[in-house]
Amino acid sequence: MHKIVILTGAGISAESGLETFRAEDGLWAQHRVEDVATPEGFVRDPKLVVDFYNARRAQAATVEPNAAHRALARLEAEHKGEVIVITQNVDDLHERGGSRAVMHMHGSLKGALCAACDHRWPAAMVMAPGDPCPSCAAPAARPDIVWFGEMPYDMDALFDHLASADIFGAIGTSGNVYPAAGFVAEARRAGAHTLEFNLERSSVGSQFAEHRTGPASQTVTTWVDELLSR
Ligand code: APR
């Protein structure tokens, strides 16, 4: 049975009420990336960074998964073959929507990381600069988010999934950030059928064999219905 690999970005959570990054009024219009999403920014002003993620963690707790998240969970539950969700998102809407095989390549708001010993543990809802690491006790807790310039998580496993995909779908991502933006090329090399779900063509839109244009809550639901009725 077909193995389906899905990549999601901020656009899949937009209809749940979470801002995307590169919309006119998006997160990167309100905050300087170099200040809140780089290791240098964290060293320069840890409180600014920790508060930025405290705000996103609090907001993510107030919103609900939407029909697109739920459709992917249904696909995983009912499709005979393997379904893997690789997400760039740090919210937990895929899990709350019912997906179980979710890989957070850019980390998660639910996680904390020790900048001194790399220990990871469940984050408090509100983190403070200098929180102690429960493992090594260093005052070095940071949000478990992969910042620009840092290596995403699980890269070997991600590329193994892409190499064995029969179908690759990218949902709600602008294709501006690598390595995720390069996943469609990997999937095509593996012979997968590739689909892009977006409101418009992404920066790598021309590399997809098929495009489903419109809000993910509609296009993903329709696609999953088609796949499961085959
Ligand atoms: N349905 C489908 N697509 C949508 C919807 C929607 N309802 N709303 C927005 N989109 C699309 C936009 O057209 C855009 O292409 O979602 C995409 C969001 O793009 P970005 O804001 O760039 O978010 P993303 O691609 O996830 O960013 C990737 O960049 O800043 C880093 O680490 C951060 O994980 C993030 C990465």
Side-chain angles (χ1 to χ4, degrees):
M1 275 307 282
H2 286 141
K3 174 168 179 174
I4 302 174
V5 176
I6 305 278
L7 169 69
T8 64
I12 197 170
S13 298
E15 291 167 85
S16 294
L18 295 184
E19 293 149 315
T20 62
F21 292 98
R22 292 171 182 82
E24 278 78 56
D25 57 349
L27 284 167
W28 295 152
Q30 303 164 43
H31 307 273
R32 284 162 33 92
V33 174
E34 51 274 31
D35 288 345
V36 296
T38 63
E40 297 77 17
F42 182 64
V43 169
R44 215 171 25 246
D45 188 345
K47 180 159 177 32
L48 178 75
V49 174
V50 169
D51 286 348
F52 173 69
Y53 289 99
N54 284 340
R56 293 183 62 202
R57 187 176 304 107
Q59 189 192 23
T62 66
V63 300
E64 294 299 322
N66 63 61
H69 296 105
R70 289 195 298 273
L72 292 181
R74 180 167 158 248
L75 181 64
E76 180 185 11
E78 299 179 19
H79 178 60
K80 300 281 179 298
E82 193 179 3
V83 176
I84 299 283
V85 172
I86 301 169
T87 187
Q88 299 172 90
N89 299 339
V90 294
D91 62 59
D92 61 344
L93 293 177
H94 280 299
E95 291 85 347
R96 288 169 53 203
S99 286
R100 291 197 305 282
V102 181
M103 303 177 79
H104 282 271
M105 64 181 288
H106 288 170
S108 166
L109 290 169
K110 305 281 279 187
L113 168 70
C114 178
C117 75
D118 278 344
H119 178 62
R120 297 166 76 187
W121 68 97
M125 269 306 283
V126 179
M127 293 183 72
D131 280 343
C133 166
S135 173
C136 76
R142 56 168 272 190
D144 189 12
I145 303 291
V146 177
W147 287 325
F148 284 95
E150 296 184 323
M151 179 64 73
Y153 282 119
D154 303 320
M155 290 303 289
D156 292 343
L158 295 183
F159 279 93
D160 286 348
H161 285 307
L162 293 167
S164 55
D166 297 299
I167 297 173
F168 174 74
I171 305 170
T173 182
S174 62
N176 286 315
V177 175
Y178 286 80
F183 285 1
V184 56
E186 290 299 318
R188 288 179 70 109
R189 245 193 291 284
H193 176 61
T194 56
L195 304 93
E196 180 171 77
F197 298 81
N198 203 308
L199 300 177
E200 59 190 14
R201 285 284 187 280
S202 76
S203 303
V204 291
S206 61
Q207 297 181 40
F208 288 83
E210 186 180 350
H211 299 86
R212 303 279 180 112
T213 304
S217 63
Q218 294 165 25
T219 58
V220 176
T221 306
T222 302
W223 179 58
V224 168
D225 289 345
E226 286 169 15
L227 286 173
L228 294 179
S229 62
R230 281 182 189 167

